Amino acid sequence: MAAQLSPQQLTETHRTTLDQALEAIRTRAYWSPHPEHPKAYENDGKAAFDALLGTRLDLDQPGTDDWTGAEVSPYGTELGITYPHPDLDVLLPAMKAGMGAWRQAGPELRALVCLEIIFRISARTPELAHAVMHTSGQAFMMAFQAGGPHAQDRGLEAVAYAYQEQTRTPSDAAHWSKPQGKRDPLELTKNFIPTARGIALMIGCNTFPTWNGYPGLFASLATGNPVLVKPHPRAVLPLALTVQIARTVLAEAGFDPNLVALAAERPGEGIAKTLAVRPEIKIIDYTGSTAFGDWLEANARQAQVYTEKAGVNTVVVDSTDDYKGMLSNLAFSLSLYSGQMCTTPQNLLIPRDGISTDAGAKSYDEVVADLAASVGGLLGDDARANAILGALVNPDVKTRLEAAAGLGEVALASREIANPDFPDAVVRTPVIVKLDGAKPDAEAAYLSECFGPVSFAVAVDSTAGAVELLRRTVRDKGAMTVGAYTTSQEVERAVEDVCLEESAQLSLNLTGGVYVNQTAAFSDFHGSGGNPAANAALCDGAFVANRFRVVEVRRQA
């Protein structure tokens, strides 16, 4: 096919950005090429989003046997958009057809094409923000930032790691000469070719379709693999638009657009389970429930499986020299997006005898009451609360929230908030429940993930007991994040030792504008891949290196 984007054009446009990304992952310093503020874009995306409602999103991909779609916004709007439903026996062979040319392109050109895709996605950030908002329930600014530039950063980060890992071996022919004494040396030329595993399946999630989806999508594509995107049935639109953009760029660059395709499913079809065990699928990226993640790891034996599942995120509260800042930071962490983040703290481990602070000694009851007051103050204004909380993503979250109040003494009751712009949105403030860590019946509650705006203030006998409970929690249940507040170097070392030994990401004494449930691409690792919450980290070399193998071709010199 005729290319409209030449390798030279792609190099001139994106090589500098690739180099900057490579430098950023080396230094771990702050860097982003994607603007976070809506004013940096030409329009607000609302008209483009509205124009999609009630339409058929035709991706012109082979094997379409039907049209499907039943998305309803958590804010109450029926999207009415339909998407191509695949005949897998037609689509999967078509996706493999372009692998040869994509392999021959080499790591650099593949990376530059991926950067062009991300560049095109970035230009449509406002439109995608509305798509993320109305499929995930995130408030608009969070959908704009997390679903737009932050997701794009994570995709670009994956491309940088993919390029780095593929270029560890020389791309040019290597000359090998072994001396043989008086005889002529043995001489060979050797070529080392990064070779894709096969079709990658990216299984999208409901809450962060782009942020969690882009790393796997671009890690696989940049390493030469076709990518089949299987969105969550309640969050198809953001990934369908992504696939549309990717297919356009691939075609313009002279490659087969079927290297990226969409697999939208009919209601209740469960196409992910069917796809996961097909022999054509060689890589799987999944974010979602522990049960299905465990099933994938056990049953998709033909594929390299990368999972981000669930954990019980924990904060140890020992002492602080900024009591007000600690409460404010925790209040925002518990409230952001109604706690519907895999990184939101769930368990706050507080010594029953209290903690020392710059405001004097505080008892367990005082700490919990003050945190409840801080959350209440943060969300006291309904307009601000709506901007922070967004909407509950599905009825299951509401059910868990309502049930949590019966698990112990309620320190902060959840309240309903009306959203004047979206009357059908289900908006709830967080609940904080007090539990006694010494009681066996409480353990079943705090050692189970309760996804949503639910947190447990767990009274423990001592800080040492909190550290041991932290260890057990991470080892047995996993954690995406761990936090701790302490003015003691000894306690800090103890918590750090647990996180190093059990492989959990740790944030210490956060009291300002950085929160335990937020991570920055190019600098922070999201998850570790070393505890039950996830078997991969976003993003490191291990996340990309096994998506390809190096095939060596030796020739007699």
Side-chain angles (χ1 to χ4, degrees):
M1 58 192 68
Q4 301 169 39
L5 285 171
S6 70
Q8 181 180 351
Q9 288 174 301
L10 291 166
T11 299
E12 291 173 352
T13 305
H14 298 300
R15 180 67 222 204
T16 298
T17 302
L18 178 59
D19 289 339
Q20 290 173 320
L22 291 165
E23 179 67 5
I25 63 174
R26 185 187 70 81
T27 65
R28 316 308 295 183
Y30 170 77
W31 176 74
S32 172
H34 303 117
E36 289 186 329
H37 200 282
K39 290 183 178 178
Y41 299 84
E42 291 184 359
N43 58 69
D44 65 4
K46 183 67 165 56
F49 170 74
D50 288 344
L52 293 168
L53 301 179
T55 66
R56 173 178 287 183
L57 194 66
D58 191 350
L59 301 175
D60 192 29
Q61 61 184 39
T64 297
D65 60 12
D66 198 0
W67 295 88
T68 185
E71 292 158 293
V72 178
S73 168
Y75 291 97
T77 305
E78 285 193 21
L79 302 193
I81 303 171
T82 55
Y83 308 93
H85 179 274
D87 179 338
L88 299 177
D89 291 331
V90 175
L91 180 59
L92 293 176
M95 294 185 71
K96 293 181 70 173
M99 285 183 66
W102 191 233
R103 180 184 65 247
Q104 293 167 13
E108 181 174 1
L109 184 53
R110 285 198 296 269
L112 297 176
V113 171
C114 287
L115 263 62
E116 176 67 20
I117 295 170
I118 295 170
F119 175 79
R120 302 273 186 100
I121 291 170
S122 177
R124 293 174 65 177
T125 291
E127 176 188 358
L128 280 159
H130 287 281
V132 170
M133 174 184 176
H134 284 287
T135 52
S136 72
Q138 295 174 32
F140 178 74
M141 276 307 297
M142 184 175 186
F144 189 98
Q145 293 182 341
H150 297 173
Q152 295 149 22
D153 285 348
R154 283 295 183 189
L156 175 53
E157 176 186 51
V159 174
Y161 272 103
Y163 176 80
Q164 183 180 71
E165 293 299 322
Q166 290 175 99
T167 54
R168 288 190 183 279
T169 52
S171 57
D172 297 327
H175 181 71
W176 183 85
S177 179
K178 181 178 180 180
Q180 297 293 299
K182 294 181 179 180
R183 293 175 293 171
D184 291 340
L186 300 176
E187 298 192 62
L188 297 173
T189 57
K190 303 181 181 184
N191 292 90
F192 302 94
I193 305 163
T195 304
R197 282 185 173 273
I199 297 175
L201 172 65
M202 194 280 280
I203 303 174
C205 69
N206 195 174
T207 49
F208 289 89
T210 56
W211 198 99
N212 279 111
Y214 285 1
L217 192 165
F218 285 104
S220 289
L221 190 61
T223 50
N225 304 279
V227 182
L228 181 58
V229 176
K230 205 299 291 184
H232 191 284
R234 288 193 292 261
V236 183
L237 181 57
L239 292 176
L241 292 174
T242 299
V243 169
Q244 184 182 58
I245 293 166
R247 292 176 61 84
T248 298
V249 171
L250 285 164
E252 290 181 10
F255 297 101
D256 191 335
N258 296 322
L259 289 166
V260 178
L262 185 77
E265 60 186 312
R266 301 184 184 98
E269 182 177 7
I271 197 173
K273 186 170 275 192
T274 301
L275 278 165
V277 295
R278 285 193 62 127
E280 302 97 326
I281 301 300
K282 300 300 183 183
I283 300 167
I284 298 174
D285 286 278
Y286 168 76
T287 300
S289 72
T290 297
F292 191 56
D294 289 345
W295 185 91
L296 288 170
E297 292 171 2
N299 291 278
R301 305 303 293 272
Q302 85 293 347
Q304 182 71 28
V305 179
Y306 300 90
T307 59
E308 182 195 310
K309 297 176 287 188
V312 177
N313 301 319
T314 301
V315 177
V316 173
V317 182
D318 166 71
S319 54
T320 180
D321 58 9
D322 185 359
Y323 186 59
K324 183 178 180 181
M326 179 189 79
L327 295 174
S328 176
N329 191 280
L330 284 173
F332 189 84
S333 297
L334 300 179
S335 303
L336 183 61
Y337 184 32
S338 301
Q340 298 170 124
M341 304 172 69
C342 63
T343 49
T344 299
Q346 174 178 300
N347 292 346
L348 310 175
L349 308 185
I350 306 167
R352 66 180 75 253
D353 291 336
I355 68 172
S356 61
T357 82
D358 58 317
K362 299 289 183 180
S363 69
Y364 164 83
D365 287 332
E366 286 176 315
V367 173
V368 179
D370 290 343
L371 178 58
S374 187
V375 174
L378 175 69
L379 304 176
D381 176 78
D382 284 3
R384 181 167 63 178
N386 275 305
I388 294 171
L389 295 169
L392 299 188
V393 68
N394 61 54
D396 292 341
V397 176
K398 181 172 177 284
T399 299
R400 283 192 293 271
L401 171 63
E402 292 171 345
L407 297 174
E409 180 185 344
V410 175
L412 176 66
S414 176
R415 70 182 182 92
E416 182 176 352
I417 293 179
N419 186 320
D421 296 322
F422 301 102
D424 294 328
V426 179
V427 185
R428 299 289 188 276
T429 62
V431 64
I432 300 177
V433 179
K434 298 166 74 172
L435 295 175
D436 188 337
K439 293 184 176 179
D441 59 339
E443 187 173 296
Y446 66 72
L447 283 185
S448 298
E449 189 204 23
C450 193
F451 184 76
V454 176
S455 59
F456 300 113
V458 182
V460 293
D461 290 337
S462 64
T463 295
V467 172
E468 283 310 304
L469 179 53
L470 168 66
R471 181 187 297 278
R472 185 157 61 96
T473 302
V474 178
R475 183 188 63 222
D476 296 346
K477 301 298 181 179
M480 294 299 293
T481 56
V482 171
Y485 289 90
T486 182
T487 57
S488 164
Q489 291 187 352
E490 181 181 354
V491 172
E492 183 175 315
R493 282 194 300 270
V495 173
E496 187 173 346
D497 284 346
V498 168
C499 290
L500 291 172
E501 291 161 11
E502 305 299 336
S503 194
Q505 310 295 10
L506 172 62
S507 297
L508 289 165
N509 297 317
L510 297 182
T511 57
V514 176
Y515 304 95
V516 67
N517 42 349
Q518 296 175 318
T519 59
F522 309 108
S523 185
D524 296 322
F525 293 109
H526 176 73
S528 70
N531 69 64
N535 73 2
L538 305 178
C539 183
D540 59 10
F543 185 67
V544 300
N546 213 14
R547 295 172 189 265
F548 69 96
R549 307 311 299 167
V550 176
V551 173
E552 178 183 355
V553 179
R554 302 189 297 179
R555 293 180 175 86
Q556 190 73 43

